Amino acid sequence: MDTIDWQLDKNQASTLYKQIIEKIKDKIASGEWPPGTKIPSQRSMSDMLKVNRSTINTALNELIADGLLEAAVGSGTRVANNSWSVLASSAALWTPYTHRGLQQPNLSTIQKINTYEFDDRVIRLGTGELSPEFYPKELMQDTLRSIGENITSLGYEEPLGLYPLREELCRYLARLQIAATPASLLIVSGGLQALQLISLGLLNRSSTLYLERPSYLFSLNLFQSAGIALRGLSMDNEGISPEALQAVPATASRCLYTIPCFQNPTGTTMTAKRRTELYDLCAAKRLPIIEDDVYRELWFDSPPPLPVKTLDKQGLVLYIGSFSKALSPGLRLGWITGPEPVISRLADIKNQIDYGSSSLSQWAVHRLLASGAFYHHVDSLRGKLLARRTVCLQILEQYFADIATWTVPQGGFYVWLTLKKPVSLNRLFYTALDNGLLLNPGNLYDKQASQNLRISYAYARLDDLATGLHRLAELIKTYRL
Ligand SMILES: Cc1ncc(COP(=O)(O)O)c(C=O)c1O
């Protein structure tokens, strides 16, 4: 190879010898100059590129020093055999950094779930999201059109979020008998962000978070990454067991996290009596409560008991809600309310992280609340979800009666399935995936829940749910996994 098909640009900021280095690297990286290729002699390069030989010499020496070229006496300069790995080495330079950050990676099963949720060939049997068929398309079209006509700017919002939306949310909370004011309410990008703000702003490495076992929070590495210890408390069908709560030690930095309505993943709803017991115990222990109520609106026959927050006259409870489960998670919109100093601390952190949640989403949800359309939407959604739950329970009865037991939720998305015989959940997960089924194994939510699966009737189409659950039962029976 003795010609060169490029020229140097003397007007470029980059020096000539650096331009030569980059051009040669491009040739090697693109495969045009594979390992072993003899490159033009220094003399011909200097003629073709119209630069001094010393410039060529400097560039080639640098490439030789980097291991991309090798010079052999008598046979000129060639592309080195290990040039691919050398070129890749600048990317490899980052590899150790990707293990260094504070945030731990997702559990590997969660990573798999996150990938396969976007593969149309699989049936999602555990997804914690409403089916696309529940997206109120016309309502959202009208809402987005009308806010589009009225918005005059899309600037950064106040640190606590769009004021008119906070006012509407206070009205919504008043219906639940929670007395919140716009100053004690922060708009967040989903309930998950509220939890992240708490982990960053209110707890530290010596803190312990007590929570239901199993719980949604065990499936995330959010608190663990901040060095916060998670301690599971046992549950019965009324919620967290008072005995377990009684045993929580009186250490300095600790909090209780609870999902009292249609809990993720068990579907359990805490009774009114248990809520009072829980609040009284926590008040006596000075144990602050984080109440995550993102599923509240999805009740079937009657509304769930009032939030624990309604019992709170001391500012013990932080109350979290979200529009993800009852409307659309893509809006990324939720809220947290509690004592003003706590809320302004969280708002200050949120401001440092993202300068506020999407104004467009905030205006859209404000419109849906102010017009009452949100309330009509959830009214009709409840009936449709109930119909799905009923069908799901029938399917379970048909295919799982001899191999499992399950909870019967009064709202929300989830049935907690307990297999009668032990299985390898890992093998079941991958065998199911090979058979076109995506599962949420119980051990994501409690390491010891090795015979459980979280089944969701909210996402998959009903015919897919029937096909999928039938196939799953067959797999469990056939393979004795
Ligand atoms: C109990 C609970 N809290 C919070 C979230 C986070 O939801 P989002 O951030 O979309 O509001 C979820 C999602 O699955 C959940 O189940």
Side-chain angles (χ1 to χ4, degrees):
M1 207 257 329
D2 48 17
T3 54
I4 275 191
D5 59 359
W6 78 79
Q7 283 301 319
L8 301 174
D9 183 357
K10 300 206 161 130
N11 300 321
Q12 241 187 52
S14 170
T15 57
L16 294 176
Y17 97 94
K18 282 215 164 115
Q19 288 184 45
I20 296 169
I21 289 175
E22 285 318 310
K23 288 287 184 189
I24 293 179
K25 277 187 175 173
D26 284 349
K27 288 283 175 192
I28 298 173
S30 67
E32 285 176 74
W33 289 7
T37 305
K38 186 169 180 231
I39 69 163
S41 67
Q42 291 198 15
R43 183 182 302 125
S44 57
M45 278 177 105
S46 122
D47 289 342
M48 286 184 280
L49 296 175
K50 301 182 189 66
V51 285
N52 292 333
R53 265 184 80 172
S54 63
T55 307
I56 303 286
N57 191 265
T58 313
L60 296 189
N61 280 344
E62 196 164 307
L63 289 164
I64 290 168
D66 280 347
L68 280 164
L69 299 179
E70 51 195 8
V73 184
S75 67
T77 305
R78 293 176 185 273
V79 176
N81 277 324
N82 64 352
S83 52
W84 284 111
S85 58
V86 175
L87 269 177
S89 69
S90 38
L93 181 74
W94 283 104
T95 308
Y97 289 86
T98 63
H99 305 291
R100 255 175 223 157
L102 285 180
Q103 187 68 34
Q104 291 170 24
N106 262 317
L107 303 172
S108 60
T109 309
I110 294 279
Q111 289 180 343
K112 270 272 171 304
I113 292 173
N114 290 342
T115 308
Y116 278 94
E117 280 188 340
F118 294 92
D119 184 333
D120 291 340
R121 292 165 302 178
V122 301
I123 300 177
R124 294 159 61 168
L125 291 179
T127 295
E129 181 179 343
L130 284 175
S131 163
E133 73 195 46
F134 294 134
Y135 177 69
K137 190 170 164 211
E138 278 166 27
L139 174 61
M140 291 307 286
Q141 268 172 356
D142 291 348
T143 307
L144 293 172
R145 193 175 311 114
S146 103
I147 62 165
E149 277 156 16
N150 293 311
I151 286 176
T152 50
S153 89
L154 275 180
Y156 297 116
E157 302 299 344
E158 289 179 57
L160 291 175
L162 186 74
Y163 190 83
L165 173 59
R166 282 184 284 138
E167 279 186 319
E168 277 308 325
L169 280 169
C170 290
R171 279 185 205 114
Y172 164 80
L173 290 170
R175 295 161 77 126
L176 302 177
Q177 300 182 29
I178 294 175
T181 61
S184 63
L185 191 141
L186 169 66
I187 308 290
V188 287
S189 302
L192 182 58
Q193 188 177 52
L195 297 172
Q196 190 199 9
L197 295 175
I198 290 170
S199 85
L200 291 172
L202 306 183
L203 302 171
N204 62 23
R205 301 193 77 79
S206 61
S207 308
T208 306
L209 190 72
Y210 292 90
L211 69 171
E212 284 126 7
R213 187 168 64 81
S215 173
Y216 160 70
L217 261 199
F218 282 111
S219 70
L220 306 172
N221 272 332
L222 195 62
F223 285 85
Q224 295 91 323
S225 297
I228 298 156
L230 297 189
R231 296 270 178 274
L233 302 175
S234 57
M235 300 171 73
D236 57 24
N237 55 10
E238 291 191 55
I240 296 179
S241 124
E243 293 73 39
L245 197 52
Q246 190 70 267
V248 169
T251 46
S253 176
R254 72 245 201 282
C255 256
L256 176 76
Y257 169 79
T258 178
I259 310 167
C261 293
F262 321 125
Q263 200 242 9
N264 180 1
T266 60
T268 310
T269 295
M270 199 183 290
T271 56
K273 178 167 164 280
R274 186 62 60 82
R275 288 173 197 238
T276 310
E277 277 172 338
L278 175 130
Y279 182 79
D280 290 346
L281 266 173
C282 289
K285 283 177 172 285
R286 308 297 303 145
L287 177 63
I289 302 170
I290 302 160
E291 181 175 16
D292 183 340
D293 219 6
V294 299
Y295 295 97
R296 158 163 293 274
E297 289 305 321
L298 304 172
W299 46 268
F300 297 147
D301 298 319
S302 53
L306 288 172
V308 178
K309 179 73 183 156
T310 57
L311 304 166
D312 185 23
K313 303 289 174 269
Q314 308 176 19
L316 201 65
V317 183
L318 298 179
Y319 183 77
I320 297 172
S322 169
F323 290 96
S324 289
K325 306 299 174 181
L327 190 55
S328 276
L331 289 164
R332 304 311 301 130
L333 217 61
W335 70 90
I336 177 163
T337 182
E340 271 184 46
V342 178
I343 295 303
S344 50
R345 163 84 172 130
L346 300 181
D348 183 64
I349 298 172
K350 177 167 163 67
N351 182 264
Q352 295 178 57
I353 291 176
D354 67 3
Y355 289 140
S357 301
S358 154
S359 305
L360 211 52
S361 288
Q362 295 191 64
W363 277 116
V365 170
H366 165 258
R367 171 100 202 149
L368 289 165
L369 287 172
S371 67
F374 172 74
Y375 300 98
H376 294 303
H377 163 73
V378 284
D379 257 355
S380 80
L381 181 63
R382 286 180 192 123
K384 293 177 199 156
L385 257 187
L386 170 59
R388 275 174 162 263
R389 185 211 63 176
T390 307
V391 175
C392 177
L393 294 179
Q394 285 162 357
I395 302 170
L396 289 175
E397 201 56 59
Q398 194 176 351
Y399 301 121
F400 284 79
D402 49 341
I403 55 169
T405 56
W406 50 89
T407 54
V408 176
Q410 300 308 309
F413 295 168
Y414 311 115
V415 169
W416 186 239
L417 195 78
T418 307
L419 297 169
K420 290 183 180 168
K421 290 201 177 136
V423 288
S424 157
L425 280 184
N426 201 38
R427 276 184 61 206
L428 179 59
F429 178 80
Y430 284 100
T431 310
L433 205 49
D434 287 343
N435 286 274
L437 306 175
L438 187 59
L439 303 179
N440 283 56
N443 57 1
L444 292 176
Y445 310 97
D446 170 10
K447 279 206 179 77
Q448 287 158 35
S450 57
Q451 282 174 237
N452 295 91
L453 293 171
R454 182 184 87 175
I455 302 293
S456 161
Y457 43 83
Y459 189 83
R461 286 204 332 250
L462 274 182
D463 54 339
D464 281 345
L465 195 65
T467 314
L469 287 174
H470 184 190
R471 202 181 295 164
L472 177 63
E474 290 304 311
L475 285 178
I476 295 169
K477 288 178 199 168
T478 315
Y479 293 98
R480 296 187 179 283
L481 290 158

